[in-house]
Amino acid sequence: QVQLVESGGGSVQSGGSLKLSCVVSGPINTKPCIAWFRQTAWMERDWVVAVTLGQTWRDIADSVKGRFVTSQDYDKKTVFMEMFDLKPEDTGMYVCAGRPQPCRWLEDQDPSSFSWWGQGTQVTVSS
């Protein structure tokens, strides 16, 4: 079965940076869509970014555009998200999600379209 494992979270001050990683393991024969969601204390999942692993296609939320940058290592089945100029409102549990099909605009922003989920990595930004 496919597993997603996140890492890289931590506590930083406002303006700081972090780099999150999502490693995808298991039987993957396609170019899957991998997305990051920020889960709040109220268990809401706010979509952040999505990339198709193995392709250049990516989509990023307006709230983080210009501050968050995605990259990937296809051979290692890893998606990275570098977070710059972090703000207190970026605080949350960042959870990696995936599905076998490539990303599609708007569909990649909907948590219900993803069948693989990681455990998450906590990001805390203090003012």
Side-chain angles (χ1 to χ4, degrees):
Q1 65 188 49
V2 176
Q3 292 187 321
L4 306 180
V5 178
E6 306 93 332
S7 63
S11 297
V12 297
Q13 291 190 327
S14 185
S17 303
L18 287 171
K19 184 176 183 178
L20 306 187
S21 300
C22 174
V23 179
V24 185
S25 62
I28 300 173
N29 299 316
T30 61
K31 290 181 168 57
C33 181
I34 304 298
W36 285 97
F37 289 86
R38 179 176 59 243
Q39 187 167 292
T40 67
W42 298 271
M43 301 305 289
E44 294 175 343
R45 285 175 170 168
D46 297 328
W47 171 76
V48 182
V49 302
V51 301
T52 296
L53 194 61
Q55 295 182 355
T56 58
W57 192 96
R58 68 192 65 191
D59 193 11
I60 188 165
D62 289 341
S63 61
V64 303
K65 198 168 291 184
R67 299 190 298 120
F68 290 14
V69 178
T70 62
S71 59
Q72 59 177 274
D73 184 332
Y74 182 70
D75 290 337
K76 295 183 179 179
K77 299 296 187 287
T78 302
V79 174
F80 303 99
M81 181 168 69
E82 291 186 88
M83 311 161 73
F84 301 99
D85 190 23
L86 283 162
K87 306 175 186 300
E89 53 263 40
D90 294 321
T91 293
M93 179 71 76
Y94 282 75
V95 184
C96 187
R99 64 167 187 259
Q101 302 81 15
C103 296
R104 292 179 61 178
W105 187 57
L106 292 183
E107 191 176 287
D108 63 65
Q109 301 175 19
D110 181 2
S112 67
S113 71
F114 294 93
S115 51
W116 312 325
W117 289 89
Q119 295 298 308
T121 185
Q122 178 67 34
V123 171
T124 303
V125 185
S126 57
S127 57

